[in-house]
Short mmCIF file of all heavy atoms in Angstrom, two decimals:
data_model
loop_
_atom_site.label_atom_id
_atom_site.label_comp_id
_atom_site.label_asym_id
_atom_site.label_seq_id
_atom_site.Cartn_x
_atom_site.Cartn_y
_atom_site.Cartn_z
N ASP U 123 -21.45 8.21 51.58
CA ASP U 123 -22.01 7.24 50.61
C ASP U 123 -22.16 5.88 51.25
O ASP U 123 -21.17 5.20 51.58
CB ASP U 123 -21.08 7.18 49.42
CG ASP U 123 -21.68 6.43 48.25
OD1 ASP U 123 -22.34 5.39 48.50
OD2 ASP U 123 -21.51 6.87 47.09
N ALA U 124 -23.42 5.46 51.44
CA ALA U 124 -23.66 4.21 52.15
C ALA U 124 -23.07 3.01 51.45
O ALA U 124 -22.54 2.08 52.06
CB ALA U 124 -25.16 4.04 52.35
N ILE U 125 -23.18 2.97 50.09
CA ILE U 125 -22.67 1.81 49.35
C ILE U 125 -21.17 1.67 49.48
O ILE U 125 -20.65 0.59 49.77
CB ILE U 125 -23.09 1.93 47.86
CG1 ILE U 125 -24.60 1.91 47.72
CG2 ILE U 125 -22.46 0.84 47.04
CD1 ILE U 125 -25.11 2.13 46.31
N ILE U 126 -20.50 2.82 49.32
CA ILE U 126 -19.01 2.76 49.43
C ILE U 126 -18.61 2.43 50.87
O ILE U 126 -17.62 1.72 51.09
CB ILE U 126 -18.39 4.10 48.95
CG1 ILE U 126 -18.77 4.39 47.50
CG2 ILE U 126 -16.87 4.04 49.08
CD1 ILE U 126 -18.19 5.64 46.92
N ARG U 127 -19.43 2.91 51.84
CA ARG U 127 -19.10 2.63 53.24
C ARG U 127 -19.17 1.11 53.47
O ARG U 127 -18.31 0.54 54.13
CB ARG U 127 -20.09 3.34 54.17
CG ARG U 127 -19.53 3.60 55.54
CD ARG U 127 -20.24 4.72 56.27
NE ARG U 127 -21.67 4.54 56.31
CZ ARG U 127 -22.56 5.42 55.81
NH1 ARG U 127 -22.11 6.52 55.25
NH2 ARG U 127 -23.85 5.20 55.89
N HIS U 128 -20.14 0.46 52.86
CA HIS U 128 -20.24 -0.99 53.01
C HIS U 128 -19.08 -1.72 52.39
O HIS U 128 -18.72 -2.81 52.82
CB HIS U 128 -21.54 -1.47 52.34
CG HIS U 128 -22.71 -1.38 53.24
ND1 HIS U 128 -23.06 -0.38 53.93
CD2 HIS U 128 -23.67 -2.13 53.55
CE1 HIS U 128 -24.14 -0.45 54.63
NE2 HIS U 128 -24.56 -1.59 54.44
N LYS U 129 -18.47 -1.12 51.34
CA LYS U 129 -17.34 -1.80 50.69
C LYS U 129 -16.03 -1.38 51.27
O LYS U 129 -14.96 -1.82 50.80
CB LYS U 129 -17.39 -1.43 49.18
CG LYS U 129 -18.62 -1.93 48.46
CD LYS U 129 -18.56 -1.66 46.97
CE LYS U 129 -19.81 -2.22 46.29
NZ LYS U 129 -19.84 -2.00 44.84
N HIS U 130 -16.06 -0.54 52.32
CA HIS U 130 -14.84 0.02 52.85
C HIS U 130 -13.89 -1.00 53.39
O HIS U 130 -12.63 -0.86 53.33
CB HIS U 130 -15.14 1.10 53.91
CG HIS U 130 -13.93 1.84 54.37
ND1 HIS U 130 -13.25 2.70 53.53
CD2 HIS U 130 -13.27 1.83 55.55
CE1 HIS U 130 -12.22 3.19 54.17
NE2 HIS U 130 -12.20 2.71 55.39
N ALA U 131 -14.40 -2.11 53.89
CA ALA U 131 -13.51 -3.15 54.45
C ALA U 131 -12.59 -3.70 53.38
O ALA U 131 -11.48 -4.14 53.67
CB ALA U 131 -14.37 -4.26 55.04
N TYR U 132 -13.08 -3.68 52.16
CA TYR U 132 -12.20 -4.15 51.05
C TYR U 132 -11.53 -3.00 50.34
O TYR U 132 -10.31 -3.04 50.08
CB TYR U 132 -13.08 -4.93 50.05
CG TYR U 132 -12.30 -5.55 48.93
CD1 TYR U 132 -11.67 -6.78 49.10
CD2 TYR U 132 -12.19 -4.90 47.68
CE1 TYR U 132 -10.92 -7.35 48.06
CE2 TYR U 132 -11.47 -5.47 46.66
CZ TYR U 132 -10.85 -6.71 46.84
OH TYR U 132 -10.13 -7.28 45.85
N LEU U 133 -12.27 -1.98 50.01
CA LEU U 133 -11.74 -0.84 49.27
C LEU U 133 -11.18 0.21 50.21
O LEU U 133 -11.80 1.20 50.51
CB LEU U 133 -12.84 -0.22 48.39
CG LEU U 133 -13.29 -1.00 47.16
CD1 LEU U 133 -14.37 -0.26 46.40
CD2 LEU U 133 -12.11 -1.28 46.23
N ASN U 134 -9.98 -0.03 50.70
CA ASN U 134 -9.26 1.01 51.45
C ASN U 134 -7.81 0.97 51.07
O ASN U 134 -7.30 -0.08 50.59
CB ASN U 134 -9.47 0.86 52.96
CG ASN U 134 -8.95 -0.50 53.42
OD1 ASN U 134 -7.73 -0.72 53.48
ND2 ASN U 134 -9.84 -1.40 53.78
N VAL U 135 -7.09 2.08 51.25
CA VAL U 135 -5.77 2.21 50.62
C VAL U 135 -4.78 1.16 51.12
O VAL U 135 -4.09 0.51 50.30
CB VAL U 135 -5.22 3.65 50.82
CG1 VAL U 135 -3.80 3.75 50.27
CG2 VAL U 135 -6.14 4.65 50.12
N PRO U 136 -4.64 0.93 52.45
CA PRO U 136 -3.67 -0.05 52.87
C PRO U 136 -3.92 -1.43 52.31
O PRO U 136 -2.97 -2.10 51.82
CB PRO U 136 -3.79 -0.07 54.40
CG PRO U 136 -4.44 1.22 54.75
CD PRO U 136 -5.30 1.61 53.61
N PHE U 137 -5.20 -1.88 52.33
CA PHE U 137 -5.49 -3.21 51.82
C PHE U 137 -5.29 -3.28 50.30
O PHE U 137 -4.80 -4.28 49.77
CB PHE U 137 -6.94 -3.57 52.18
CG PHE U 137 -7.26 -5.02 52.00
CD1 PHE U 137 -6.30 -5.98 52.11
CD2 PHE U 137 -8.59 -5.44 51.76
CE1 PHE U 137 -6.61 -7.33 51.94
CE2 PHE U 137 -8.93 -6.75 51.60
CZ PHE U 137 -7.93 -7.72 51.68
N PHE U 138 -5.65 -2.17 49.61
CA PHE U 138 -5.41 -2.11 48.16
C PHE U 138 -3.94 -2.34 47.83
O PHE U 138 -3.59 -3.16 46.99
CB PHE U 138 -5.85 -0.72 47.66
CG PHE U 138 -5.66 -0.46 46.21
CD1 PHE U 138 -6.66 -0.72 45.29
CD2 PHE U 138 -4.45 0.11 45.76
CE1 PHE U 138 -6.47 -0.44 43.94
CE2 PHE U 138 -4.27 0.38 44.41
CZ PHE U 138 -5.29 0.10 43.49
N LEU U 139 -3.08 -1.64 48.56
CA LEU U 139 -1.62 -1.78 48.32
C LEU U 139 -1.14 -3.16 48.74
O LEU U 139 -0.28 -3.75 48.03
CB LEU U 139 -0.86 -0.67 49.09
CG LEU U 139 -1.08 0.73 48.53
CD1 LEU U 139 -0.42 1.77 49.43
CD2 LEU U 139 -0.51 0.86 47.13
N ALA U 140 -1.68 -3.68 49.82
CA ALA U 140 -1.24 -5.03 50.26
C ALA U 140 -1.62 -6.05 49.22
O ALA U 140 -0.83 -6.97 48.90
CB ALA U 140 -1.90 -5.35 51.59
N ARG U 141 -2.83 -5.92 48.63
CA ARG U 141 -3.25 -6.86 47.61
C ARG U 141 -2.32 -6.77 46.38
O ARG U 141 -1.89 -7.77 45.83
CB ARG U 141 -4.69 -6.63 47.19
CG ARG U 141 -5.72 -7.10 48.22
CD ARG U 141 -7.10 -7.14 47.56
NE ARG U 141 -7.53 -5.86 47.05
CZ ARG U 141 -8.17 -4.93 47.72
NH1 ARG U 141 -8.44 -5.10 48.98
NH2 ARG U 141 -8.52 -3.78 47.13
N ALA U 142 -2.05 -5.49 46.01
CA ALA U 142 -1.14 -5.33 44.83
C ALA U 142 0.17 -6.00 45.08
O ALA U 142 0.75 -6.67 44.22
CB ALA U 142 -0.98 -3.82 44.54
#
Side-chain angles (χ1 to χ4, degrees):
Chain U
D123 191 318
I125 295 176
I126 301 181
R127 205 159 53 238
H128 276 47
K129 297 184 178 180
H130 187 67
Y132 184 83
L133 287 180
N134 60 71
V135 177
F137 193 27
F138 178 92
L139 290 173
R141 285 195 303 272

